[in-house]
Amino acid sequence: MGRRKDGPMTNAMVVSEDEAYELLAQLVCSAELGTVEPYYYGTFRLLDAASRLMECMLRHQSNGTRDWLEAFKAELDQNKLLMMSDRPGYFRYLEQVGGRVAEGVKLHLARSSS
Amino acid sequence: VTEATSRRAEHVLEVIRGRRVVRAFTEQAVSTEDLWKILEAARWALSGGNRRINKFLVVQDPRRIRLVRTVAPGMLGRPTALIVILTDLRKAAEEQVQVDKHTTRWIDVGTAAMNMSLAAHALGLGSCPATSFSRSGVAVMLDLPPTLVPEFILQLGHPAQPLPQPRRGGATRRTVEALTYWERVGDRGD
């Protein structure tokens, strides 16, 4: 367990170096594509990168909030595809997804500090 | 219209109507035999002036597929094979195609891609197009020479789930009548 100014920090590694490089490329190439894709693809690329990050976290047995993480990843993967079939529904999901992830962060921090 | 013609038309239209974008694949590899059949379908595709300025690069090595995926945010799933459509700039120059102006460059990519998607579906495989990728990134990952430009990636594999039925009344659903004018723009012929 490490320590930061603003509280405790778990040191469990949930992203390998290979995976970090993959995410790095995903984010950089998404930025490049942002110059030619419709604007709403920008949000989609970010959600997809978040999904890929969660895939890494789950692969490395991220503990404490695993159930939440699995459920949130499934929810996000289902809803991100609304961008292609139901754009108003997609934007409605975007309006509340910040709250959804905040619940997970709070849960994780509460467990890791207890 | 003979009965044989009618049967053939219905068979082709059934394949066209039944194709879906598939993003979830099993780990089962696509056979080389099937890949050749799909490539043969691309060879038969319409080509502007029959100039054939495209080449096709097949990628089956999981490590190379993974490398391409890192620079292709449009690859959402994990396909077991890729066919990359390339523009051969050398051939284009020979055929006097002005690649920065000539729209057939893109049309040829589309016709080849569609033929391959339909062939894959007819063979029981799933396919998904990817155009959202870094051209320079894919060129590096696949060690492409500067004369071969990646234009389109067809992701292939065995579908992990049954193909979905078409959505009725969905937000993006359009009837053919809504998409069509007849003789004159503004006149739908009804």
Side-chain angles (χ1 to χ4, degrees):
Chain A
M1 179 84 73
R3 182 154 289 279
R4 303 192 318 196
K5 275 185 184 175
D6 52 353
M9 179 179 70
T10 57
N11 283 325
M13 294 298 180
V14 292
V15 179
S16 73
E17 195 167 19
D18 281 1
E19 290 162 342
Y21 269 94
E22 288 184 355
L23 287 168
L24 171 68
Q26 153 88 11
L27 290 167
V28 170
C29 291
S30 292
E32 177 189 331
L33 292 169
T35 62
V36 291
E37 289 186 319
Y39 77 93
Y40 41 81
Y41 267 78
T43 57
F44 176 82
R45 298 293 175 217
L46 287 170
L47 289 186
D48 191 48
S51 173
R52 293 180 193 215
L53 173 62
M54 286 190 281
E55 186 180 329
C56 299
M57 294 164 74
L58 288 165
R59 190 181 298 133
H60 292 283
Q61 306 298 315
S62 175
N63 53 20
T65 50
R66 185 176 179 83
D67 289 347
W68 178 86
L69 203 56
E70 280 178 337
F72 182 57
K73 182 178 184 309
E75 170 196 307
L76 189 145
D77 283 342
Q78 186 178 351
N79 282 283
K80 75 183 180 191
L81 293 177
L82 291 176
M83 190 273 288
M84 298 174 196
S85 61
D86 175 11
R87 207 151 294 139
Y90 173 70
F91 285 119
R92 280 196 299 276
Y93 180 67
L94 282 181
E95 284 171 13
Q96 45 113 7
V97 71
R100 295 283 295 118
V101 77
E103 292 166 10
V105 173
K106 274 180 75 176
L107 187 64
H108 170 72
L109 292 177
R111 287 189 185 173
S112 61
S113 62
S114 62
Chain B
V1 178
T2 66
E3 194 177 322
T5 306
S6 180
R7 270 203 308 274
R8 186 181 65 191
E10 191 49 42
H11 180 65
V12 171
L13 292 170
E14 186 185 334
V15 172
I16 290 172
R17 285 192 295 257
R19 184 200 56 77
R20 297 285 178 278
V21 166
V22 173
R23 296 190 180 85
F25 303 100
T26 68
E27 292 182 1
Q28 185 184 349
V30 177
S31 73
T32 302
E33 185 186 359
D34 280 352
L35 286 168
W36 279 120
K37 287 178 181 169
I38 294 166
L39 291 161
E40 183 71 5
R43 191 179 75 83
W44 282 100
L46 296 167
S47 170
N50 200 26
R51 283 182 287 253
R52 309 276 165 194
I53 63 169
N54 297 122
K55 293 284 191 300
F56 304 95
L57 173 62
V58 178
V59 185
Q60 288 179 282
D61 178 352
R63 188 180 155 275
R64 284 167 70 78
I65 292 174
R66 183 180 171 190
L67 285 175
V68 172
R69 191 172 183 268
T70 62
V71 291
M75 285 177 63
L76 302 181
R78 294 187 180 279
T80 52
L82 307 176
I83 298 178
V84 184
I85 303 179
L86 308 161
T87 292
D88 182 343
L89 295 180
R90 200 171 286 170
K91 172 77 169 162
E94 281 172 17
E95 297 288 345
Q96 300 185 13
V97 175
Q98 298 179 67
V99 290
D100 55 339
K101 293 181 183 168
H102 217 146
T103 54
T104 56
R105 173 186 183 179
W106 312 113
I107 295 168
D108 286 4
V109 170
T111 59
M114 197 69 237
N115 268 20
M116 290 197 290
S117 291
L118 291 172
H121 177 56
L123 291 164
L125 297 167
S127 70
C128 183
T131 54
S132 293
F133 57 85
S134 166
R135 268 61 183 162
S136 58
V138 168
V140 168
M141 293 304 192
L142 294 176
D143 303 308
L144 298 176
T147 52
L148 292 176
V149 180
E151 309 280 16
F152 182 99
I153 300 173
L154 187 67
Q155 307 166 74
L156 293 161
H158 292 267
Q161 298 148 357
L163 300 187
Q165 293 297 309
R167 284 157 31 92
R168 295 202 180 276
T172 59
R173 180 128 174 105
R174 299 284 183 275
T175 64
V176 65
E177 289 82 5
L179 298 170
T180 306
Y181 298 116
W182 211 272
E183 301 291 357
R184 289 187 179 84
V185 170
D187 180 357
R188 297 191 189 280
D190 50 10

